[in-house]
Amino acid sequence: MNSRQKFIFLLVFLVLLTAYLAIAGEKHYTLSNGEKDFYFGHISYLPEDIGTKNPEVLRSGFMAGEEVQLNFPVVPGDVIITYDRPCEIQFDTGTIIRLDVNSRLKVETILAQTLSSEQKLSSLFLEKGRMYVMYTAYNSWEIFQLVTPSAALKMRNHTVLAVSQDGPDSTRISVRQGSTKVLFGPDEKNLKAQTIKKGENAIIGQSPEIKRASNFSDF
């Protein structure tokens, strides 16, 4: 085999090898039966002058949390836990969350396809603590909701509000911009819906009615 034949043979071999690796990679790394479009968020701010312990992310399937740094990715299923240092989370959709100290927030879904319509659901669960939400709709198809142990909030586009979960039966809400529809009640068969608008503060507890607070100092 002369040098020209050797060169052609080597070239063909490299082409076949590249094709094989591409097929193998596609076979092993393609997401099957999953979301067509996958959205996530990241830690966009960590203050340096507050606290000593960074927040952690508890990822589905792992026993221990992972300490976050700036730009740490946040995906559906993650639980963000803060200690003595707050953090800010920004999602691909444009929504920004500021999570206060001693809080626990689970990212349930980000633009997940609903079964009953073409709309897509973004859902967060505030287990405890306090958060500040600046909601910006990704598109007209997005439904954005925040759930606490005692209420569920469905927000309009460009809504800004503070939410505090003080205990298993007490949710405080202060709407700074826009409005949110609140679903609450003693059980799933006895639910009520009310709208809280800009400038209104409310406390949802064990009472069958929402308690209105006159100003933020009462909140």
Side-chain angles (χ1 to χ4, degrees):
M1 182 181 293
N2 57 37
S3 58
R4 179 180 176 82
Q5 290 174 323
K6 290 181 179 179
F7 175 77
I8 294 174
F9 176 82
L10 180 61
L11 183 61
V12 171
F13 174 79
L14 290 175
V15 170
L16 292 175
L17 178 62
T18 302
Y20 170 78
L21 292 176
I23 294 172
E26 182 179 0
K27 179 180 179 181
H28 291 290
Y29 296 103
T30 297
L31 182 63
S32 299
N33 300 322
E35 296 288 341
K36 179 180 179 182
D37 300 310
F38 188 77
Y39 299 88
F40 63 99
H42 65 277
I43 302 297
S44 53
Y45 177 67
L46 283 171
E48 297 181 357
D49 56 342
I50 301 176
T52 59
K53 187 173 182 180
N54 278 350
E56 293 180 345
V57 166
L58 181 60
R59 192 142 285 170
S60 179
F62 291 85
M63 296 296 294
E66 184 175 355
E67 182 178 306
V68 306
Q69 301 295 334
L70 197 61
N71 296 320
F72 187 95
V74 175
V75 300
D78 283 353
V79 178
I80 302 100
I81 306 167
T82 61
Y83 300 99
D84 62 350
R85 178 171 289 171
C87 70
E88 182 179 273
I89 309 155
Q90 183 169 341
F91 296 99
D92 286 349
T93 56
T95 294
I96 296 175
I97 303 292
R98 291 176 181 170
L99 193 61
D100 204 356
V101 298
N102 300 316
S103 299
R104 188 180 176 101
L105 175 71
K106 183 176 182 180
V107 180
E108 299 278 3
T109 61
I110 305 175
L111 289 179
Q113 183 65 57
T114 58
L115 299 176
S116 58
S117 70
E118 293 297 323
Q119 292 179 309
K120 294 188 176 182
L121 177 66
S122 297
S123 181
L124 307 174
F125 177 44
L126 181 63
E127 298 180 22
K128 71 171 186 175
R130 178 172 173 146
M131 61 188 290
Y132 192 82
V133 185
M134 292 168 280
Y135 168 55
T136 300
Y138 182 73
N139 55 37
S140 60
W141 298 103
E142 183 180 16
I143 301 173
F144 186 88
Q145 71 176 18
L146 170 65
V147 180
T148 74
S150 52
L153 290 70
K154 181 181 177 183
M155 301 178 199
R156 290 186 59 186
N157 190 18
H158 301 306
T159 292
V160 179
L161 54 79
V163 180
S164 180
Q165 184 65 31
D166 302 321
D169 300 312
S170 180
T171 298
R172 294 183 291 162
I173 305 166
S174 179
V175 179
R176 314 298 176 80
Q177 186 70 38
S179 66
T180 182
K181 181 176 288 186
V182 181
L183 194 67
F184 66 101
D187 55 64
E188 60 182 12
K189 295 181 179 180
N190 297 279
L191 296 176
K192 294 183 179 180
Q194 290 190 28
T195 298
I196 303 175
K197 300 178 181 178
K198 177 182 177 180
E200 295 181 341
N201 306 312
I203 301 174
I204 303 172
Q206 295 181 335
S207 170
E209 300 295 335
I210 289 180
K211 179 183 177 181
R212 301 286 180 166
S214 59
N215 55 57
F216 190 70
S217 62
D218 296 334
F219 183 79

